[in-house]
Amino acid sequence: MRNLRQWFIYLSDKRFSTISGTLVYFMLMSFAPFLFWLTLVFGRIDLEGIISHELFAAVLPLITYLQEAAESATASASVVLVFTSLWSSTNFFYHLRRSGEIIYESSTKKSGLKLRLSSLLIVFLAFVLIAIAAALPFLSYNILNVIMPEFLSETISLVFTTMIAIFVAYILNIFACPYRLDFNIAITGSFLTVALWLLCAAGFTVYLQFANLQKLYGAIAAIIVFLLWSYLMVNSLVIGMIYNGRMLVTRKTKRLF
């Protein structure tokens, strides 16, 4: 409990929650142009199958609307729209790296153009991961269920999904760090992030079953909860990055002595 209290005080003193709020803002601002390019590269992807959790029930119509708008935009997209939307879709990853420079207290900063190009590579990697995630329900219900019991196929799908989440957290941790991050350190922070993601998802599932949000927030209740959930998920990523940074400091201190 003492270590947990000290950890909480450290997070509060450094105001890392402000970084999380900033990243949530840029994540939401990057979502529409990201959908545009996702549609441009892969066509229509069944996002409802990926985000079928009841937490997304209120925002699913908005996501569907944005996806339909992206489909119509790709049909007659101008060169200017293509390049400006691509630039906008990298905003989250760009500011993630800038946030990493703050968290790791780096004195050297990557140039803006190089960072944008690196963010662009991460965007296209995200396209591939989303395409794989979209294919999982098809594989689970049409292939795995045919050759094995349902509970076993669901277990395999869950394990595979968790592995993708760990890989995503690992890539984000590596990308955000301005230094070369050792695998042992990066994977530890990634496991911490995914554990917090799973805890948040389970917590919100229980919360939505018992809480009457309509009385408190009215018609926009689910949207507010979704924004809070997004904030906690990004906070989990930031906590993993902070943990990596503390491990780096500890390792450097041991080397000195």
Side-chain angles (χ1 to χ4, degrees):
M1 290 297 295
R2 182 179 179 182
N3 292 335
L4 185 61
R5 182 172 177 273
Q6 290 177 346
W7 180 254
F8 180 77
I9 292 174
Y10 174 75
L11 294 178
S12 301
D13 290 344
K14 293 292 185 177
R15 297 180 177 87
F16 288 125
S17 59
T18 304
I19 293 177
S20 300
T22 302
L23 288 176
V24 169
Y25 170 79
F26 283 108
M27 181 180 69
L28 296 176
M29 292 297 291
S30 301
F31 186 70
F34 180 84
L35 270 183
F36 171 83
W37 268 89
L38 183 66
T39 306
L40 190 66
V41 174
F42 290 106
R44 184 175 183 86
I45 287 183
D46 182 20
L47 294 177
E48 296 183 18
I50 302 176
I51 53 176
S52 58
H53 195 278
E54 59 180 318
L55 181 65
F56 301 97
V59 296
L60 193 56
L62 175 60
I63 295 175
T64 303
Y65 169 77
L66 291 175
Q67 188 176 25
E68 292 174 352
E71 290 176 0
S72 61
T74 54
S76 58
S78 63
V79 176
V80 174
L81 176 61
V82 168
F83 282 100
T84 55
S85 60
L86 183 60
W87 179 275
S88 299
S89 65
T90 63
N91 280 336
F92 170 74
F93 300 105
Y94 176 87
H95 288 280
L96 176 64
R97 176 55 184 269
R98 291 304 188 205
S99 300
E101 293 171 356
I102 297 173
I103 292 173
Y104 289 97
E105 300 179 354
S106 172
S107 57
T108 58
K109 295 183 178 181
K110 202 169 187 177
S111 66
L113 181 58
K114 289 182 179 179
L115 185 51
R116 285 289 178 181
L117 293 176
S118 301
S119 301
L120 185 61
L121 293 176
I122 299 297
V123 166
F124 282 104
L125 178 60
F127 291 162
V128 176
L129 291 175
I130 289 177
I132 293 174
L136 281 178
F138 174 81
L139 294 175
S140 177
Y141 293 110
N142 295 282
I143 298 178
L144 294 180
N145 284 344
V146 175
I147 61 177
M148 61 183 63
E150 183 178 353
F151 78 92
L152 187 57
S153 66
E154 290 181 354
T155 301
I156 293 175
S157 298
L158 179 61
V159 170
F160 191 68
T161 302
T162 304
M163 290 175 61
I164 291 178
I166 293 172
F167 177 73
V168 168
Y170 176 77
I171 293 298
L172 292 177
N173 273 285
I174 291 292
F175 179 77
C177 183
Y179 312 113
R180 183 176 179 180
L181 200 59
D182 291 343
F183 174 79
N184 292 336
I185 295 179
I187 199 64
T188 304
S190 301
F191 274 115
L192 175 60
T193 293
V194 173
L196 291 173
W197 282 346
L198 295 174
L199 183 63
C200 288
F204 267 100
T205 300
V206 175
Y207 177 69
L208 291 174
Q209 289 178 351
F210 294 98
N212 192 340
L213 301 175
Q214 297 293 333
K215 291 184 178 180
L216 182 60
Y217 295 115
I220 62 171
I223 296 178
I224 292 176
V225 172
F226 170 74
L227 293 175
L228 178 60
W229 176 82
S230 300
Y231 175 70
L232 290 177
M233 295 294 277
V234 174
N235 249 318
S236 301
L237 174 61
V238 170
I239 289 174
M241 293 163 57
I242 295 169
Y243 186 78
N244 291 338
R246 300 305 297 172
M247 289 184 66
L248 281 175
V249 172
T250 303
R251 177 173 293 187
K252 289 180 180 179
T253 303
K254 288 181 179 180
R255 287 177 179 176
L256 290 176
F257 295 96

